[in-house]
Amino acid sequence: MNIQMVDVKSQYLKIKEEIDRGIQEVIDTTAFINGPKVKQFQHEFETYLGVKHVTPCANGTDALQIAMMALGLKPGDEVIVPAFTYVATAEVIALLGLIPVMVDVDGDTFNINTESIRSAITSKTRAIVPVHLFGQSADMENIMKIAEAHHLYVIEDNAQAIGGDYIFRDGRLVKTGTTGHIGCTSFYPSKNLGCYGDGGAIFTNDNELGALLYKIANHGQSVRYYHDVVGCNSRLDSIQAAILSVKLRNLDGYCNSRIKVADFYDASFADTEALETPYRASYSTHVFHQYTLKVKDGRRDQLKKYLDDQNIPNMIYYPVPLYKQEAFKASSNGLEFLPVTEELCREVISLPIHTEMDDMQLNYITDKVKTFFS
Ligand SMILES: *Cc1c(COP(=O)(O)O)cnc(C)c1O
């Protein structure tokens, strides 16, 4: 059986006409850079997210970097990040001469632990970067309380949870990534809202920050050839914007398809004692960028080998804590061991999940996994 971790091709075929028309329009008008398609997508995305300002940019890593630049952080300032995440989050912090302070995560949600944030705050702390890992928001209400008490900025890395809802204790819903001072996302093709190349966006409800983010992404200028601040060149291509406009209209449907796959997996593995299915927090919907199991009987690597042998795609997100990465040995806070992060690196495995999966594929995968544990 042909199963893929992500099936961008089958998804494309369902919206081919609209996508092809959008791409062709950009070519016909030759408005490749900052064309009307970029502005159009920017405004559609602002409406979808319910935020005042979106700055489209070149990729999700740039989005994080531009966010850090806009906050005016100085070399030596400390930024708190989870140790269990994709490298980009900490990379841009180190790149700007800031210190990534890596803290532990929750064993159930895989997201940054609020107690660990509290203990990591020093007089040099300036910001917190929660990552909404695998499709579910971190505990933003508590994180914002800590941030307010210590006058810290919060940048949300929403690359994996775009399309989800954050649910306040009083029942109010907002889109994930829009509660902190700045939210960032990536349109990498495999993301829940992916384009056909690289792309990213930064969003905020703060008017001053909104203008500054836009300026920094565009060579520090708001009037052409007048440069107020040192910025960078980080643009979303018009062709990618045209693709994203079409895909944004389908995003809620895509998220629902992913949730259905997760529900199927959950039900299938309910009686498999060695497997812990993903926890769903009360304060966030889960849009399942990844479906990540914990293997509790110490056989994670054996399961991986078995799935590889059966040609069932699978991935370990993430095998190594950030503080053990060679790149951060010199630049981080010198940590050596965080218990939950270490445990997750040993136990997690992600199964195929995407918008085009059918019951035949799902039955095949779950039967094989259950056979392994029987
Ligand atoms: C994908 C991703 C990024 C970076 O996105 P790029 O567009 O690849 O630069 C950042 N953070 C997280 C958590 C991601 O998953």
Side-chain angles (χ1 to χ4, degrees), residues 36-106:
K37 292 278 186 201
V38 179
K39 266 277 166 277
Q40 184 192 324
F41 171 68
Q42 178 191 323
H43 294 314
E44 289 165 351
F45 204 37
E46 284 164 352
T47 305
Y48 178 85
L49 292 172
V51 295
K52 287 194 198 155
H53 308 282
V54 163
T55 294
C57 66
N59 57 67
T61 308
D62 273 11
L64 290 161
Q65 182 184 325
I66 294 163
M68 305 278 166
M69 289 169 78
L71 296 180
L73 308 184
K74 304 272 177 314
D77 285 352
E78 294 178 357
V79 180
I80 296 174
V81 291
F84 186 67
T85 180
Y86 182 57
V87 66
T89 325
E91 189 176 35
V92 299
I93 298 171
L95 189 70
L96 293 173
L98 313 170
I99 299 171
V101 174
M102 297 156 187
V103 304
D104 216 353
V105 294
D106 282 334

Side-chain angles (χ1 to χ4, degrees), residues 163-200:
D165 291 316
Y166 184 78
I167 307 161
F168 284 88
R169 306 300 195 260
D170 65 8
R172 192 163 55 93
L173 289 190
V174 295
K175 297 315 284 183
T176 55
T178 65
T179 305
H181 300 95
I182 303 178
C184 297
T185 200
S186 159
F187 303 127
Y188 186 83
S190 63
K191 297 282 154 83
N192 286 25
L193 178 61
C195 60
Y196 294 169
D198 274 310

Side-chain angles (χ1 to χ4, degrees), residues 2-14:
N2 180 22
I3 301 172
Q4 293 169 271
M5 203 67 191
V6 191
D7 187 354
V8 177
K9 179 72 182 283
S10 306
Q11 191 193 60
Y12 160 65
L13 292 175
K14 292 184 180 163

Side-chain angles (χ1 to χ4, degrees), residues 16 21 42 113 169 180 200 214 286 298 319:
K16 182 177 184 320
R21 201 182 326 123
Q42 178 191 323
N113 177 281
R169 306 300 195 260
Y214 197 88
H286 200 320

